[in-house]
């Protein structure tokens, strides 16, 4: 077979690893694909920069020409961002090229346009590396579980925040101290906003929800809260409950009254307490793990390195082999369909549980007053603990599951009570009641 020619857009940490793997595993890849894979060119912004192991003759600043060249069969995009990545991928597919991308931000914002182009031009669009790095997660959702009814996807999909929260839990570090350590180790960017404010996890949640529920979901549909407000008191409160705080991405089908197809989906990202007995509680440092709950398959867990040059490049090479095999066989892989078109429900309608820590006046009747505030919102209390005396008097409360809007209304009522000096901590609780 004549070689299949590959164009690479971007040659940073991930792109350099892709080049290395293509070079070092050339013979194995050719055997697996049924044809050799060759680099046709690499589009970069600064061609004069030295890149170890990369042939300078392959570098070009003309990405538009590269993706439309007649001798290019497959385009790998690792430049990130919305533009010019979107235009380049659309141009490649219009010219019959298969596309592989790790661009979670673009897929979460405008994946529908890319999927429509893949259908229109009969090309492949693969993106395993966009969520959870090297963990094979999207393809099982896309192919292995396509005959099943996925009910819920729950997981840790951002290694930076998991490292920070793990340091706060295991070593008693404060948020800023743990963040600085994550930056020193290369787990966090100089500007960590995308990670610590939950934007990265929200983009991944949108991609997971769209695949799991065959319904259009964008990052704008995802309820998002970051970890910047998580305090040492929150972490200590979780420890007292036998729990740990994790930033969770949660995508779930909300059942209809008849319990059949569902009345919508809930997609959200926020820090939450989970029991230490839950498998996700043991996910340490910068690792990722995702639970998938399906009607027939039951509960499945995917665990591994969620970021980094080599892990991400591994996922890209997996897609490359699949796409190249399709080219050799004269076929194409599955294209996402959103036939279900279920509505994405607002956060207020989502049923959750709360953990609250209240600084209260040390006087008779406080508990009754607080309980009345919960009752007015229709929220049931699962457990309550009163501790401390005088200025240190506190109530620790865990609720039963209720609509999030009712729980939020309860918090506002509590803040208006004379007997509540401060609502010191509010956090959602996930896991079995």
């Amino acid at each position: 077979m004549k070689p299949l020619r590959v164009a690479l857009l971007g040659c940073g940490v991930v792109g350099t690893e892709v080049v290395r793997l293509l070079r070092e595993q050339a013979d194995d890849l050719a055997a697996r694909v049924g044809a050799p894979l060759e680099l046709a060119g690499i589009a970069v912004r600064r061609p004069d920069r030295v890149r170890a192991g990369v042939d300078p003759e392959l570098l070009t600043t003309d990405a538009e020409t590269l993706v439309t060249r007649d001798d290019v069969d497959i385009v790998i995009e690792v430049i990130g961002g919305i533009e010019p990545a979107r235009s380049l991928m659309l141009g490649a597919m219009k010219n019959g090229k298969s596309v592989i991308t790790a661009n979670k931000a673009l897929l979460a914002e405008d994946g529908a346009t890319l999927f429509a182009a893949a259908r229109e031009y009969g090309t492949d669009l693969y993106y395993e590396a966009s969520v959870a790095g090297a963990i094979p997660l999207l393809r099982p959702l896309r192919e292995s579980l396509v005959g099943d009814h996925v009910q819920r996807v729950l997981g840790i999909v951002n290694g930076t925040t998991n490292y920070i929260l793990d340091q706060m839990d295991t070593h008693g570090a404060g948020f800023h101290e743990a963040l600085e350590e994550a930056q020193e180790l290369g787990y966090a960017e100089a500007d960590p906003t995308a990670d610590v404010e939950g934007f990265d996890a929200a983009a991944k949640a949108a991609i997971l929800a769209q695949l799991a529920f065959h319904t259009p979901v964008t990052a704008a549909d995802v309820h998002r809260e970051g970890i910047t407000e998580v305090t040492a008191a929150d972490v200590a409160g979780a420890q007292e409950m036998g729990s740990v705080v994790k930033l969770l991405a949660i995508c779930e089908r909300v059942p209809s009254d008849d319990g059949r197809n569902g009345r919508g989906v809930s997609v959200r990202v926020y820090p939450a307490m989970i029991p230490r007995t839950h498998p996700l509680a043991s996910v340490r440092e910068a690792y990722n793990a995702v639970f998938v709950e399906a009607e027939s398959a039951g509960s499945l867990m995917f665990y591994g390195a969620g970021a980094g040059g080599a892990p991400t490049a591994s996922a890209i090479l997996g897609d490359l082999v699949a796409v190249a095999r399709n080219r050799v066989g004269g076929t194409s892989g599955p294209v996402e369909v959103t036939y279900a078109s279920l509505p994405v429900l607002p956060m207020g309608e989502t049923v959750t549980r709360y953990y609250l820590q209240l600084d209260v006046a040390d006087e008779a009747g406080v508990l009754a007053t607080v309980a009345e505030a919960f009752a007015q919102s229709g929220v049931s209390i699962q457990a309550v603990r009163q501790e401390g005396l005088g200025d240190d008097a506190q109530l620790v409360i865990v609720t039963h599951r209720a609509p999030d809007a009712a729980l939020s209304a309860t918090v506002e009522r509590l803040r208006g009570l004379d007997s509540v000096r401060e609502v010191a901590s509010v956090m959602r609780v996930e896991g079995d009641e």
Side-chain angles (χ1 to χ4, degrees):
M1 293 282 301
K2 70 174 185 177
L4 291 173
R5 305 269 286 166
V6 179
L8 178 63
L9 306 180
C11 199
V13 174
V14 175
T16 302
E17 283 296 313
V18 170
V19 173
R20 180 183 67 82
L21 292 175
L22 280 172
R23 181 182 66 250
E24 294 180 359
Q25 300 181 18
D27 292 342
D28 285 342
L29 292 171
R32 294 167 193 168
V33 169
L37 299 174
E38 293 182 355
L39 270 174
I42 305 172
V44 295
R45 285 185 298 175
R46 297 187 293 274
D48 54 338
R49 177 182 166 191
V50 177
R51 296 169 173 85
V54 178
D55 183 357
E57 295 298 319
L58 291 172
L59 303 179
T60 177
T61 58
D62 190 354
E64 292 183 11
T65 297
L66 177 61
V67 300
T68 59
R69 274 171 37 184
D70 291 339
D71 65 331
V72 168
D73 301 290
I74 301 168
V75 173
I76 299 174
E77 183 273 319
V78 290
I79 56 178
I82 307 303
E83 289 292 353
R86 174 170 45 198
S87 296
L88 291 172
M89 284 192 274
L90 291 174
M93 287 187 282
K94 185 176 181 179
N95 283 272
K97 323 299 183 186
S98 296
V99 172
I100 298 162
T101 180
N103 196 329
K104 56 184 172 288
L106 176 54
L107 288 164
E109 178 172 305
D110 196 20
T113 297
L114 299 176
F115 300 142
R119 284 192 295 270
E120 180 179 356
Y121 302 118
T123 64
D124 278 332
L125 174 61
Y126 278 50
Y127 50 96
E128 183 67 59
S130 66
V131 179
I135 304 172
L137 174 61
L138 300 189
R139 196 168 300 161
L141 284 173
R142 191 183 196 187
E143 300 175 21
S144 305
L145 295 172
V146 72
D148 208 336
H149 205 61
V150 176
Q151 304 287 2
R152 195 172 193 237
V153 180
L154 166 74
I156 298 164
V157 295
N158 182 272
T160 300
T161 53
N162 197 58
Y163 180 86
I164 292 170
L165 293 173
D166 182 51
Q167 294 302 299
M168 293 177 72
D169 177 65
T170 58
H171 300 295
F175 170 79
H176 294 289
E177 179 187 352
L179 172 59
E180 289 176 4
E181 185 174 340
Q183 290 172 322
E184 291 173 3
L185 293 172
Y187 294 145
E189 301 288 343
D191 179 1
T193 302
D195 293 319
V196 299
E197 294 293 354
F199 290 102
D200 175 83
K204 294 170 181 175
I207 295 169
L208 290 169
Q210 178 157 291
L211 272 178
F213 308 128
H214 313 289
T215 205
V217 180
T218 69
D221 298 319
V222 181
H223 175 84
R224 173 192 55 80
E225 298 174 28
I227 67 166
T228 55
E229 300 301 319
V230 176
T231 66
D234 295 327
V235 174
Q239 291 172 341
E240 290 175 2
M241 288 180 57
S243 298
V244 63
V245 179
K246 298 290 187 182
L247 182 72
L248 299 179
I250 305 170
C251 317
E252 60 186 0
R253 190 188 302 269
V254 180
S256 56
D257 293 337
D258 61 10
R260 299 187 66 185
N261 294 326
R263 64 183 179 90
V265 297
S266 172
V267 190
R268 59 216 196 249
V269 168
Y270 49 58
M273 296 180 179
I274 57 173
R276 289 188 183 271
T277 54
H278 194 289
L280 288 179
S282 62
V283 178
R284 300 285 308 281
E285 299 192 334
Y287 280 84
N288 286 190
V290 177
F291 256 89
V292 177
E293 299 172 9
E295 191 172 273
S296 299
S299 296
L300 310 171
M301 183 173 175
F302 301 84
Y303 170 86
T312 304
S314 172
I316 289 171
L317 265 290
D319 279 351
L320 178 58
V321 169
V323 166
R325 285 172 172 170
N326 291 341
R327 302 285 292 198
V328 170
T331 186
S332 59
V335 178
E336 272 55 63
V337 290
T338 53
Y339 68 89
S341 295
L342 295 169
V344 180
L345 302 180
M347 187 62 199
E349 295 183 25
T350 300
V351 177
T352 62
R353 299 167 63 204
Y354 272 24
Y355 165 95
L356 302 100
Q357 190 178 92
L358 312 177
D359 293 341
V360 297
D362 186 7
E363 59 188 27
V366 170
L367 182 56
T369 303
V370 168
E372 176 62 22
F374 281 86
Q376 288 174 355
S377 299
V379 175
S380 175
I381 295 175
Q382 180 192 22
V384 60
R385 184 175 75 248
Q386 188 166 357
E387 53 189 38
L389 297 171
D391 292 341
D392 295 326
Q394 283 191 334
L395 287 178
V396 177
I397 297 171
V398 179
T399 72
H400 283 293
R401 291 169 63 83
D404 199 79
L407 288 161
S408 296
T410 302
V411 173
E412 291 308 308
R413 282 195 172 92
L414 292 171
R415 289 191 169 115
L417 296 177
D418 292 337
S419 56
V420 176
R421 296 195 301 267
E422 181 183 7
V423 180
S425 179
V426 178
M427 185 164 291
R428 294 182 179 87
V429 179
E430 294 293 332
D432 295 336
E433 292 194 38

